[in-house]
């Protein structure tokens, strides 16, 4: 496989090779946003086979399989075995050429399992058996894989009502990789469905010990949970939002809106926007008080297929890029926090690539010289997590901000095999810079500085920025 995934994969110039092999490759991984199950780390989960670790919960792969004409039974079905699912995936892989799945699949096979062969129906059995044998050894358990990829820190994604039992047990045990929670209060904002919201409030009330019947109670309960998360080592929050919310509201209005939804009544569109605006602001203030970094993942339209949503639930591969016009609300939101001197370190991730330049200029409005790169433009997310998307994000950031201060890559993944995405990112980064050097757009005489810059973006910037 000399010309495919080889040592110099994606590295088109000598300068790129030098930057990658001399600087990026050996950096540890700080995966500051992912969706790994902390229970798997706490129990050092052993995976049964390659089909299981690859296809359980991976909606990227399911989407490709469905597109390739594979029946749902082999994606999410309960009556098919891991091998049967894997076989259908192997049939699909050759048809994923030019989709990032083709690169990720072979990068994972190569870096985790040393497999040089291409996955297809002919090699499926051999590759499945080889990887499954390895997965059943201790070096390939959840923790084994994290160590193999030199992971230093991971931040999971957790609800305020979560008891963080697995994080606590890892902390107690002094596990040498930091596994920290991330505060993700989406459910505390989801007032669209009064019944579900009321049930969530009851859960939050039970875990916080605060009886919630007014808006101020809700904030008190969240504040207690926020303190608890901080005590367990949390340094980041994250919000999955369609758009930014910064509608004007008064405290009295928010109290009334809360009482209405608490009483089981549906809110108007305007009330929902006002409520979310208040919640986003209150959460941002809590994050500022703790010195956390707040993250915003915005712009997805989720659960587009009602029939399959009803059958399979959320996060099963039926989401897409939205086209919300949110620049003004985004500006108002950050401006209010800045005026109140409550704006904490921030990362914004867009799902629509049309917003790349928008974000790259928006963050510049709120850089205040207190922290290098205080306002960050997040790495290519979800549908943009591929070569084109990463390059576009880094080019926008370079043109309109400072690439050198970028905190770099995160996996945003549910799988312990996704760490090679950091390698993918680093190769793409080194290639971008290497090409510039080759073309005389960056000075070859500054190779030392550029090498350090690559190290910074791969590792050190994140380490200094988040203060884990
Ligand atoms: Zn995420």
């Amino acid at each position: 496989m000399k010309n495919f995934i080889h040592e110099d994969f994606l590295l088109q110039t000598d300068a790129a090779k030098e930057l990658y092999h001399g600087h990026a490759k050996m950096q540890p991984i700080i995966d500051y946003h992912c969706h790994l199950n902390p229970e798997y780390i706490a129990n050092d989960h052993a995976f049964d086979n390659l089909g299981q670790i690859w296809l359980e919960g991976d909606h990227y792969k399911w989407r490709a399989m469905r597109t390739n004409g594979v029946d749902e039974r082999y994606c999410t079905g309960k009556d098919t075995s891991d091998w049967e699912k894997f076989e259908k995936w192997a049939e699909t892989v050759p048809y994923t050429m030019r989709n990032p799945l083709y690169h990720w699949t072979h990068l994972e096979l190569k870096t985790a399992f040393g497999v040089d062969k291409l996955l297809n129906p002919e090699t499926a059995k051999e590759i499945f058996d080889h990887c499954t044998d390895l997965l059943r050894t201790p070096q390939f358990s959840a923790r084994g894989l994290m160590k193999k990829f030199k992971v230093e820190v991971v931040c999971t994604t957790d609800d305020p009502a979560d008891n963080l039992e697995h994080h606590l047990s890892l902390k107690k045990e002094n596990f040498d990789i930091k596994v920290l929670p991330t505060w993700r209060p989406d459910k505390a904002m989801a007032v669209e469905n009064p019944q579900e919201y009321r049930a969530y409030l009851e859960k939050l009330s039970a875990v916080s010990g605060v009886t919630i019947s007014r808006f101020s109670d809700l904030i008190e309960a969240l504040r207690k949970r926020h303190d608890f998360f901080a005590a367990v080592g949390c340094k980041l929050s994250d919000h999955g939002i369609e758009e930014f919310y910064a509608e004007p509201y008064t405290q009295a209005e928010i109290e009334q809106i809360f009482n209405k939804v608490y009483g089981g009544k549906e809110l108007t569109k305007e009330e929902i926007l006002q409520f979310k605006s208040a919640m986003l602001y209150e959460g941002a203030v809590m994050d500022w008080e703790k010195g956390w970094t707040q993250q915003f993942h915005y712009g997805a339209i989720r659960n587009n297929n009602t029939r399959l949503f009803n059958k399979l639930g959320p996060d099963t591969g039926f989401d897409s890029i939205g086209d919300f016009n949110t620049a003004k609300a985004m500006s108002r939101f950050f401006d209010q926090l800045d005026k109140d001197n409550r704006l904490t370190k921030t990362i914004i991730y867009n799902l629509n690539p049309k917003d790349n330049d928008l974000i790259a200029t928006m963050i510049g409005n709120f850089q205040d010289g207190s922290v290098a790169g205080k306002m960050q433009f997040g790495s290519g997310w979800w549908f943009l997590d591929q070569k084109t998307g990463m390059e576009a994000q880094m080019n926008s950031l370079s043109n309109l901000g400072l690439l050198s201060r970028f905190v770099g890559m995160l996996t945003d993944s549910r799988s312990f095999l996704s760490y090679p995405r950091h390698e993918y990112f680093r190769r793409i980064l080194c290639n971008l810079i290497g090409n510039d050097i080759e073309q005389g757009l960056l000075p070859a005489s500054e190779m030392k500085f550029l090498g350090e810059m690559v190290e910074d973006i791969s590792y050190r910037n994140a380490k200094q920025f988040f203060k884990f």
Side-chain angles (χ1 to χ4, degrees):
M1 219 159 67
K2 194 163 171 283
N3 295 316
F4 183 45
I5 295 190
H6 57 111
E7 212 187 39
D8 294 329
F9 177 54
L10 295 166
L11 306 172
Q12 297 163 329
T13 61
D14 288 341
K17 289 172 196 168
E18 189 181 331
L19 289 170
Y20 181 72
H21 294 295
H23 298 275
K25 189 168 75 178
M26 59 286 274
Q27 301 306 319
I29 286 177
I30 293 181
D31 204 28
Y32 58 87
H33 175 71
C34 74
H35 295 267
L36 291 180
N37 182 349
E39 186 181 351
Y40 277 23
I41 309 171
N43 300 338
D44 196 16
H45 185 79
F47 299 95
D48 191 62
N49 61 70
L50 184 60
Q52 185 193 64
I53 192 171
W54 252 2
L55 289 156
E56 207 179 65
D58 190 340
H59 52 73
Y60 291 76
K61 291 192 181 77
W62 297 342
R63 216 168 145 106
M65 287 161 79
R66 290 173 191 133
T67 307
N68 200 42
V70 171
D71 191 89
E72 192 60 38
R73 287 179 62 218
Y74 299 100
C75 302
T76 56
K78 302 266 181 267
D79 64 334
T80 45
S81 67
D82 291 334
W83 160 250
E84 286 173 305
K85 289 184 175 109
F86 181 83
E87 208 178 7
K88 293 291 180 190
W89 169 239
E91 275 172 28
T92 300
V93 166
Y95 293 92
T96 66
M97 281 195 201
R98 299 208 84 237
N99 182 289
L101 283 165
Y102 195 74
H103 282 168
W104 292 345
T105 295
H106 292 104
L107 205 55
E108 289 175 23
L109 283 176
K110 170 99 180 149
T111 56
F113 304 104
V115 172
D116 273 324
K117 290 190 173 158
L118 297 176
L119 180 58
N120 57 43
E122 285 72 54
T123 58
K125 185 80 177 85
E126 183 192 338
I127 289 177
F128 183 90
D129 289 345
H130 171 79
C131 298
T132 295
D133 285 348
L134 286 175
L135 280 169
R136 290 175 182 178
T137 64
Q139 291 82 359
F140 286 79
S141 65
R143 292 184 185 189
L145 285 166
M146 292 168 87
K147 285 184 182 151
K148 188 178 179 62
F149 288 107
K150 286 198 293 190
V151 177
E152 204 171 274
V153 184
V154 294
C155 298
T156 59
T157 303
D158 309 275
D159 186 272
D162 194 294
N163 65 16
L164 304 183
E165 57 177 316
H166 305 298
H167 296 86
L168 285 168
S169 82
L170 284 159
K171 203 171 143 86
K172 205 169 149 196
E173 178 197 329
N174 252 327
F175 178 47
D176 46 9
I177 297 171
K178 277 193 181 169
V179 182
L180 306 177
T182 297
W183 174 261
R184 171 111 164 193
D186 290 2
K187 285 186 183 156
M189 287 176 58
V191 282
E192 289 85 350
N193 182 326
Q195 276 69 42
E196 274 178 30
Y197 192 64
R198 181 68 187 256
Y200 178 74
L201 291 179
E202 273 158 29
K203 205 172 149 192
L204 189 63
S205 175
V207 71
S208 64
V210 176
T211 309
I212 302 174
S213 60
R214 294 178 314 164
F215 181 70
S216 54
D217 301 331
L218 168 62
I219 296 303
E220 191 194 332
L222 286 172
R223 202 171 267 285
K224 282 202 165 174
R225 299 308 294 163
H226 203 270
D227 292 345
F228 171 66
F229 269 57
V232 183
C234 181
K235 301 275 187 211
L236 293 107
S237 69
D238 183 33
H239 303 267
I241 48 178
E242 281 193 340
E243 51 190 317
F244 277 79
Y245 306 105
E247 296 300 305
Y249 60 85
T250 64
Q251 219 49 41
E253 281 170 331
I254 298 303
E255 289 284 354
Q256 260 176 16
I257 294 169
F258 180 85
N259 292 344
K260 188 174 168 186
V261 70
Y262 184 77
K265 289 206 192 78
E266 294 233 0
L267 301 178
T268 65
K269 216 177 152 194
E270 184 51 35
E271 286 168 336
I272 291 174
L273 290 178
Q274 279 188 306
F275 189 82
K276 287 185 187 250
S277 302
M279 289 297 286
L280 219 49
Y281 182 84
E282 295 289 341
V285 169
M286 290 183 208
D287 292 350
W288 173 81
E289 286 168 355
K290 302 263 184 8
W292 288 3
T293 300
Q294 54 181 352
Q295 300 173 98
F296 301 93
H297 286 87
Y298 84 92
I301 318 186
R302 292 175 193 265
N303 310 322
N304 295 274
N305 187 323
T306 309
R307 182 176 61 81
L308 287 162
F309 174 73
N310 290 338
K311 209 170 144 188
L312 306 172
D315 303 320
T316 49
F318 301 98
D319 309 319
S320 69
I321 292 174
D323 59 354
F324 307 96
N325 285 322
T326 198
K328 281 193 173 165
M330 192 191 297
S331 163
R332 281 201 304 273
F333 174 68
F334 290 120
D335 190 41
Q336 189 61 52
L337 287 164
D338 185 76
K339 278 191 283 196
D340 297 345
N341 192 26
R342 296 285 184 278
L343 179 57
T344 197
K345 292 175 288 183
T346 300
I347 312 176
I348 310 169
Y349 308 83
N350 57 310
L351 199 52
N352 193 323
K354 79 171 169 54
D355 291 353
N356 283 358
D357 287 354
L358 182 164
I359 294 179
T361 57
M362 187 66 74
I363 58 175
N365 298 326
F366 301 100
Q367 305 285 16
D368 60 9
S370 61
V371 179
K374 173 176 173 174
M375 302 295 289
Q376 291 275 331
F377 176 10
S379 191
W381 167 46
W382 197 348
F383 297 115
L384 309 182
D385 184 3
Q386 15 77 3
K387 187 168 182 284
T388 313
M390 287 182 195
E391 285 179 349
Q393 184 267 352
M394 286 193 269
N395 282 331
S396 284
L397 182 57
S398 301
N399 284 332
L400 303 163
L402 299 181
L403 179 68
S404 52
R405 295 301 188 178
F406 179 31
V407 294
M409 183 61 180
L410 55 146
T411 61
D412 202 2
S413 174
R414 289 167 168 73
S415 164
F416 287 85
L417 280 178
S418 292
Y419 293 115
R421 289 189 204 174
H422 282 266
E423 176 181 335
Y424 198 57
F425 167 86
R426 291 175 190 184
R427 288 176 181 274
I428 289 164
L429 167 70
C430 292
N431 190 52
L432 266 187
I433 297 175
N435 276 332
D436 277 6
I437 296 169
E438 205 74 16
Q439 293 170 47
L441 299 171
L442 288 172
S445 58
E446 291 299 307
M447 212 47 193
K448 185 170 177 290
F449 183 87
L450 290 164
E452 280 165 14
M453 177 171 146
V454 159
E455 291 172 15
D456 287 345
I457 298 168
S458 302
Y459 171 67
R460 266 196 307 269
N461 282 351
K463 194 177 170 83
Q464 281 161 12
F465 189 78
F466 298 111
K467 303 206 184 314
F468 291 120

